[in-house]
Amino acid sequence: MTSVKEFRVDEPATADSLGRGRFVFTDAYSVFDWGQMPDAVPRKGASLCTMGAFNFELLESEGVPTHYRGVVDPGEPGDEAGSESDAVVPLADATAPPTQMAIDLTQVPDLPYGGPDAGYDYDAFHAAGGANYLVPLEVVFRNRVPIGSSLRRRAAPADFGLDSDPAIDADEWPDEPVDLPEPVVEFSTKYEEQDRYLTREEADRIAGDADIEALESLALDVNRVVTERAEAAGFAHDDGKIECLYADGELRVADVVGTFDENRFSYGGRGISKEVVRQWYRANDPEWVEAVTEAKSAVADRDIDDWRELCERDPDPLPPAVVDAVSALYAAGTNAYTGRAWFDAPDIEAALDAADDL
């Protein structure tokens, strides 16, 4: 199980073939890489499954290869826990918002950690994965640099040609979102306890047999499809990420694509993503956010790689009013993005108004 969805195997992957399984989306959430937080957000799992399936089907229609096979129709009778015999259908045929997504499976080898001097052993990872593995990278694409983006800490406007705009300083980001002239693609680690951004050379080594240029091209294709859909539904698409599997020399988009957890969207200039929850914790539980930051720094010189063992505080649960507002935001956003009233929820403007009042 990940921090927000369960992982079920119907037929395991082997060195020679992909397997079959499913994601079961829960109402759990995660911020600041903490893992599962102390409470849940109703309808969040169904929202992410619905939106992810919608985007996978858009990608497939554009010829972008993915591991998606359909959704399990929650209106069909069957084993409540999910079984291989459950009805797998296109999203349009689901009779209610789904929470299970059928997928092809690849191998996910262990990534050994040898301590602060040796680091992570990617050679062992690839030796175990062979020619059928989940690429141990997240491929990040950016169309915009919103407030709070990590890119502001790691680069200057001039690095992206923005210094040609007389309203933007070459070395300092303005206190407002900035549109990039062209989408930017970056690579970060996937299975290390702390995500870190990589140089292109590091990413190429970590990717193994998967071609770094092909990963970048796939990310740009996904970004284009999601951005076009977002604009058609009245959203702006700031940034997002993909994960990929590599099998028999082919890359496919894996995990989940284009949801309010994986991507940052805005509507009428107001953000709609789990950034709402991050900002609530920064404002209302700053001691925990600071403890997380300190623990991530402290683990660098230790033989362990799990910084959570060093964190001296646990997060506070969200107040009920915040849970209700975030639930409505996920549901309303999914309705608006997909163009179908899956959920009994307020319209997107009303949901954003409620989130603004938190």
Side-chain angles (χ1 to χ4, degrees), residues 223-304:
N223 180 44
R224 174 183 56 79
V225 172
V226 174
T227 299
E228 288 175 356
R229 174 58 202 173
E231 291 175 350
F235 292 82
H237 180 217
D238 292 350
D239 56 40
K241 68 177 180 66
I242 60 168
E243 298 171 20
C244 298
L245 66 81
Y246 178 82
D248 298 324
E250 179 189 45
L251 283 168
R252 299 192 201 177
V253 181
D255 196 54
V256 186
V257 172
T259 75
F260 297 129
D261 275 11
E262 277 75 29
N263 299 53
R264 262 191 284 214
F265 297 91
S266 58
Y267 191 95
R270 294 188 286 179
I272 174 167
S273 70
K274 70 175 181 180
E275 184 67 21
V276 172
V277 182
R278 290 192 196 97
Q279 294 301 334
W280 186 91
Y281 274 99
R282 288 190 178 104
N284 295 279
D285 195 3
E287 295 84 2
W288 172 68
V289 176
E290 182 178 356
V292 166
T293 302
E294 292 174 352
K296 287 181 175 181
S297 297
V299 80
D301 297 324
R302 307 291 185 96
D303 287 332
I304 61 172

Side-chain angles (χ1 to χ4, degrees), residues 78-306:
D79 180 4
E80 185 177 342
S83 68
E84 191 176 2
S85 62
D86 287 335
V88 175
V89 299
L91 180 63
D93 292 344
T95 56
T99 58
Q100 296 190 46
M101 179 184 291
I103 56 173
D104 290 325
L105 302 180
T106 189
Q107 298 184 110
V108 185
D110 290 332
L111 178 61
Y113 179 67
D117 294 328
Y120 289 91
D121 190 347
Y122 283 99
D123 289 339
F125 177 96
H126 287 295
N132 179 5
Y133 62 93
L134 191 68
V135 180
L137 294 170
E138 292 186 347
V139 190
V140 181
F141 43 81
R142 305 182 187 278
N143 304 309
R144 207 175 193 218
V145 187
I147 303 298
S149 171
S150 67
L151 195 66
R152 291 173 177 254
R153 300 190 303 271
R154 297 181 288 106
D159 296 329
F160 308 101
L162 290 165
D163 52 331
S164 61
D165 185 339
I168 298 178
D169 186 278
D171 301 314
E172 187 172 344
W173 293 97
D175 294 329
E176 59 188 23
V178 177
D179 291 323
L180 292 166
E182 298 290 338
V184 170
V185 174
E186 297 185 288
F187 300 90
S188 72
T189 55
K190 163 67 179 168
Y191 291 119
E192 298 181 11
E193 284 293 336
Q194 290 193 67
D195 294 338
R196 60 189 177 94
Y197 284 94
L198 304 164
T199 65
R200 200 173 185 87
E201 291 73 25
E202 288 175 312
D204 194 25
R205 177 180 63 83
I206 288 173
D209 290 339
D211 182 72
I212 204 75
E213 302 289 341
L215 284 166
E216 181 178 52
S217 177
L218 200 56
L220 289 172
D221 283 342
V222 172
N223 180 44
R224 174 183 56 79
V225 172
V226 174
T227 299
E228 288 175 356
R229 174 58 202 173
E231 291 175 350
F235 292 82
H237 180 217
D238 292 350
D239 56 40
K241 68 177 180 66
I242 60 168
E243 298 171 20
C244 298
L245 66 81
Y246 178 82
D248 298 324
E250 179 189 45
L251 283 168
R252 299 192 201 177
V253 181
D255 196 54
V256 186
V257 172
T259 75
F260 297 129
D261 275 11
E262 277 75 29
N263 299 53
R264 262 191 284 214
F265 297 91
S266 58
Y267 191 95
R270 294 188 286 179
I272 174 167
S273 70
K274 70 175 181 180
E275 184 67 21
V276 172
V277 182
R278 290 192 196 97
Q279 294 301 334
W280 186 91
Y281 274 99
R282 288 190 178 104
N284 295 279
D285 195 3
E287 295 84 2
W288 172 68
V289 176
E290 182 178 356
V292 166
T293 302
E294 292 174 352
K296 287 181 175 181
S297 297
V299 80
D301 297 324
R302 307 291 185 96
D303 287 332
I304 61 172
D305 62 339
D306 188 354

